Amino acid sequence: MAIFLFLVLVAVVLGLIGIAVEGMMYLLIIGAVVLVADLIFFGAHLSRRTRRRSVR
């Protein structure tokens, strides 16, 4: 969970820098890619956790 929150924070910071500084639009794109990758990772982690529970 800590890694997820850290990567979300990194993505937000990169996005803000990419918006604020002229000519650094690539940082906004990198931030968006990091955020999407982090959400996919978190979703995969949650789906693996729910599969282990068996219905009795």
Side-chain angles (χ1 to χ4, degrees), residues 5-55:
L5 294 175
F6 176 72
L7 287 176
V8 168
L9 180 66
V10 168
V12 169
V13 169
L14 285 175
L16 289 175
I17 293 172
I19 290 172
V21 179
E22 188 176 331
M24 300 269 248
M25 190 64 154
Y26 64 92
L27 285 178
L28 177 62
I29 295 169
I30 291 171
V33 169
V34 168
L35 182 64
V36 168
D38 189 35
L39 291 174
I40 290 171
F41 173 74
F42 188 65
H45 180 71
L46 284 179
S47 70
R48 277 187 287 176
R49 181 178 292 179
T50 57
R51 284 188 210 156
R52 292 182 186 166
R53 297 178 184 170
S54 62
V55 178

